[in-house]
Amino acid sequence: MSPATVLERCATGIDGLDNILGGGIPRGNMVLVAGSVGTGKTTLCLEFLVRGAERGERSLFLSVTEASSKLIQNLSTFEFFRTDLIEQGELVFVDLPSVYDRLGLGKEELAPEEIDIVIRTISDLVRSLGAKRLVLDSLTSVCYRIRKDEQIRDFMLRLGQELNEAGCTSLLVSEIGPTPGRYSLHGVEEAIVDGVILLWNTRRLGDILRVVQIVKMRGTAHSRAQYVLELTPIGILMAPHLKGGLEGGA
Amino acid sequence: MPVDIGERLRALPGGSAVALKLDPREYADHYFAVLNATLRDVGSETDAHTIYVAVTNPAAFVWSLAQALDIPVERISFVDAISHIMMNYSNPLSNATYVESPRALEEIMLRVEYLLRKFPHPRSIVVIDSVNSLAIHNPPELLSEFFHILLNNLKSRSVLTLVLETSEEEQKGIEQMLNLVVDETIDVARMGR
Ligand SMILES: Nc1ncnc2c1ncn2[C@@H]1O[C@H](COP(=O)(O)OP(=O)(O)OP(=O)(O)O)[C@@H](O)[C@H]1O
Ligand SMILES: [Mg+2]
């Protein structure tokens, strides 16, 4: 296949998203999943991995903020989740803090050579598992330990390149405040990634409505429309956000 | 002898969207005829799963009415968008999912979607009761957008969609809007039963 041919897509398995994305995320792309607290970032990422593992694409969850055991417990709310995906090693959970400990990266701020180690560790993990899908939850907590913009840029570029070479499609969780402005901690991250999926809460009739929007996705002619999202036992469902819907704070 | 409503509905191609027009002066009579035709003749007799979007009367009311009419109710699920605002929520049905208000149109779409996936069938049925009740709570542009999106989605999945409509003089605009999105209108007054 010549590079000009249609990009191979990694179907997220979330029908609503795949419809907007013309089949899925271009394979090997690195995508930011940005949103404030409780907007469904982790749930969306978990479904992406479970759907991938079901299709025989090995999937890796790198957790920084929540313990894997708790995440695996949460998976049981999905009716389509099968524990054998974990037992057979198709779905793998790794706690990044324990990796940090093992590597002796205990300090607040990571030195440049320590950033190298983090990239190499993630890359080695992906390659040795043959992972085709990766979630990092969250990128924010990793970037918190990298202070300089150029170091963040370098970290993101190199990580993206490693994952792309491995044919691994990744979702990186970005925790942001409730008012939009930027999609990441430093503002550098969103420029480097191939795509940004934004989640936020809006209020209507006193109830909280979850909304999702594809802000950018390289190699994809996608809709920028807003969709209402619901987390259900059969997975994430989406419906167009009707135009008459009240605009709310993110 | 005119054909009856059930016969007419059964003859429709998959994915049809139909308005069922009830005369408000003969509402009870027409409503029973419509329940019989939709829930019994096309619903239970084809083994299809019916999703009933209740906006006029609470799901519990429609449910007990169906039972009184001896209509098999095992394959009916409700999306109830009226009980909450009628403060009629004390005895929720186990086969109903409750939406807080008829204004939560996206939520209604999401619940219909959920039930379609939960009970997959090559030819499911969605009944919306009614466009007039939705119009009381929603501005016309919003309602028109809602029907366009929902009916197109259901059509692409071969779902038979039946929209109840009472022909009120002062709501002519609704009739016109609905005409644009349905494939045909069946006037209950003119049908045999
Ligand atoms: N399958 C599900 N069905 C219904 N609700 C769910 C489901 N999964 C998660 N939730 C609810 O959604 C909420 C947010 O989910 P999630 O943890 O994915 O958000 P988040 O954006 O990752 O939040 P945080 O910023 O705290 O990490 C949770 O409080 C949970 O109660
Ligand atoms: Mg989370």
Side-chain angles (χ1 to χ4, degrees), chain A residues 38 40-43 65-66 71 137 173 175:
Chain A
K41 303 180 295 294
T42 303
T43 308
T65 33
E66 289 181 81
L71 290 165
D137 191 354
V173 171
E175 294 154 359

Side-chain angles (χ1 to χ4, degrees), chain A residues 122-131 161-163 165-166:
Chain A
I122 296 176
S123 164
D124 286 351
L125 208 50
V126 166
R127 284 176 200 271
S128 64
L129 287 168
Q161 195 176 357
E162 292 285 342
L163 295 174
E165 279 168 11

Side-chain angles (χ1 to χ4, degrees), chain A residues 15 79 204-205 207 228 230 232-234 237-245, chain B residues 100-101 103-107 109-111 113-115 117-118 142 145-146 149:
Chain A
D15 290 345
E79 283 176 12
R204 176 149 72 186
L205 309 164
D207 270 12
V228 175
E230 182 148 281
T232 82
I234 58 171
L237 299 179
M238 286 163 56
H241 196 190
L242 301 177
K243 282 197 291 290
Chain B
E100 71 276 15
S101 145
R103 285 191 287 164
L105 296 175
E106 289 103 340
E107 198 64 24
M109 290 198 264
L110 287 165
R111 300 303 169 88
E113 175 77 25
Y114 176 77
L115 292 167
R117 284 173 188 239
K118 188 90 183 145
L142 199 62
E145 193 186 357
F146 167 77
I149 292 168

Side-chain angles (χ1 to χ4, degrees), chain A residues 210-231:
Chain A
R210 295 179 205 277
V211 186
V212 60
Q213 181 181 28
I214 312 286
V215 175
K216 95 173 187 189
M217 192 64 68
R218 288 186 186 135
T220 309
H222 61 87
S223 150
R224 282 183 61 103
Q226 300 176 0
Y227 292 81
V228 175
L229 177 146
E230 182 148 281
L231 313 175

Side-chain angles (χ1 to χ4, degrees), chain B residues 82-149:
Chain B
I82 194 72
S83 287
H84 268 298
I85 63 162
M86 282 174 62
M87 315 279 240
N88 197 345
Y89 185 56
S90 45
N91 285 313
L93 288 181
S94 62
N95 60 339
T97 159
Y98 292 83
V99 174
E100 71 276 15
S101 145
R103 285 191 287 164
L105 296 175
E106 289 103 340
E107 198 64 24
I108 293 175
M109 290 198 264
L110 287 165
R111 300 303 169 88
V112 169
E113 175 77 25
Y114 176 77
L115 292 167
L116 284 173
R117 284 173 188 239
K118 188 90 183 145
F119 305 104
H121 189 279
R123 209 183 160 187
S124 302
I125 301 164
V126 171
V127 179
I128 300 173
D129 175 13
S130 63
V131 63
N132 307 79
S133 302
L134 285 171
I136 294 171
H137 301 276
N138 293 285
E141 321 80 64
L142 199 62
L143 201 58
S144 151
E145 193 186 357
F146 167 77
F147 273 104
H148 265 285
I149 292 168

